[in-house]
Amino acid sequence: MNGRLTIVGLGPGPKDWVTPAAADAVADADYILGYSPYVNRLTPRAGQVFEASDNREELARARRALELAACGGRVAVVSGGDPGVFAMAAAVYEAVEDNPASADGIDIRVEPGVTAMLAAAARIGAPLGHDFCAISLSDNLKSWATIEKRLRLAAEADFVIALYNPASKARPEQIGKAFDILLEVLPGETLVVFARAVGRLDEEIDVVTLATAGDATCDMRTLVLIGSRATRKVISGDGRSWVYTPRSERK
Ligand code: SAH
């Protein structure tokens, strides 16, 4: 008997940002696999097996999940945010592409979640109101030359840019290089939002300009939003402000 493999998005942190469908997929599973911080967010019920692993072991985790499901298990692989955004869903399909028979008869599903970019945008206003793109700054799976090219072209195309994985202990300096490249194309007054640990107790949201963004500190729990030329602050009569991008190119 073959089983089921659901790749589940747990959202950026808070329980009430987990969809009911994602919660059901977790509750239903015999096995829960994932990167330790995500697995540790969950409380096992009787009979559930938790297998936490390192974030560099995504392909091995995907293969293991397929094996467990092939033996009839109901398996949930959990990701933070959305599982299709720089996360486990693509790793599972890579494993299937490498070994198509490993997926035979398995009911494979993806349960979407709130990705960090959307949670960060919601906190600050509506910066993604016009066209935008998302780029991961991690060079584990692509070259830094590719990242530089995408940053430059995204800025030239005037997208709002969501930067995932902006920094880690191994590469604290790359975000500064990214800002330098963007500054070659975009004006110094372009708005930049640092959204750290969105939805957590230590959440912190800062709005700065591209010219000063290099002075800010960011870590692997930060999502950075770079405005387009149209992204601006809007201020209410009583002095509160938000960051937004108008829907229309002409506004
Ligand atoms: N699948 C995840 C992204 C994984 S990549 C998603 O859809 O959100 C990991 C990156 O996501 C982090 O380096 C950070 O840039 C961002 N991120 C994840 N959770 C976050 C949170 N709560 N607050 C801010 N950024 C977050």
Side-chain angles (χ1 to χ4, degrees):
M1 186 197 66
N2 280 346
R4 184 192 319 157
L5 168 52
T6 312
I7 309 118
V8 184
L10 297 179
K15 279 214 162 57
D16 52 1
W17 281 357
V18 179
T19 69
D24 285 351
V26 167
D28 254 16
D30 309 311
Y31 299 92
I32 311 263
L33 276 61
Y35 176 39
S36 340
Y38 303 143
V39 171
N40 293 341
R41 280 198 218 163
L42 306 168
T43 318
R45 60 159 174 75
Q48 251 179 351
V49 177
F50 277 29
E51 289 188 12
S53 46
D54 192 74
N55 60 348
R56 301 243 174 171
E57 290 168 19
E58 288 164 335
L59 207 50
R61 182 187 304 137
R63 286 194 200 108
R64 167 87 180 139
L66 286 162
E67 278 164 24
L68 290 167
C71 298
R74 286 172 303 175
V75 184
V77 173
V78 294
S79 281
D82 182 88
V85 178
F86 307 126
M88 280 306 296
V92 167
Y93 290 110
E94 284 166 27
V96 172
E97 193 171 52
D98 290 348
N99 180 5
S102 67
D104 289 358
I106 300 174
D107 178 4
I108 303 179
R109 299 180 196 189
V110 179
E111 274 306 338
V114 178
T115 188
M117 167 180 77
L118 301 186
R123 281 290 197 255
I124 197 70
L128 306 179
H130 194 73
D131 294 345
F132 61 87
C133 68
I135 298 176
S136 168
L137 273 203
S138 169
D139 60 359
N140 285 339
L141 300 168
K142 63 189 168 198
S143 72
W144 180 252
T146 296
I147 296 172
E148 284 198 1
K149 179 175 173 190
R150 289 184 185 163
L151 286 170
R152 190 168 286 116
L153 293 177
E156 277 171 17
D158 211 19
F159 285 118
V160 171
I161 306 169
L163 292 181
Y164 283 77
N165 297 306
S168 75
K169 287 194 189 93
R171 41 178 190 85
E173 73 299 333
Q174 284 179 346
I175 182 74
K177 283 195 212 159
F179 290 137
D180 289 343
I181 291 162
L182 294 171
L183 269 172
E184 289 170 18
V185 183
L186 293 169
E189 61 269 23
T190 303
L191 291 178
V192 177
V193 178
F194 289 88
R196 183 166 186 280
V198 180
R200 308 302 181 87
L201 290 174
D202 53 346
E203 171 177 312
E204 223 178 285
I205 315 276
D206 290 312
V207 182
V208 300
T209 63
L210 189 54
T212 60
D215 303 335
T217 51
C218 72
D219 58 16
M220 51 204 276
R221 297 167 72 214
T222 307
L223 188 286
V224 182
L225 285 171
I226 319 287
S228 69
R229 288 174 182 79
T231 305
R232 59 190 84 167
K233 282 190 182 171
V234 55
I235 303 172
S236 65
D238 62 4
R240 288 168 304 136
S241 72
W242 300 269
V243 173
Y244 100 112
T245 310
R247 292 167 302 144
S248 166
E249 194 182 12
R250 286 176 299 280
K251 185 161 162 64

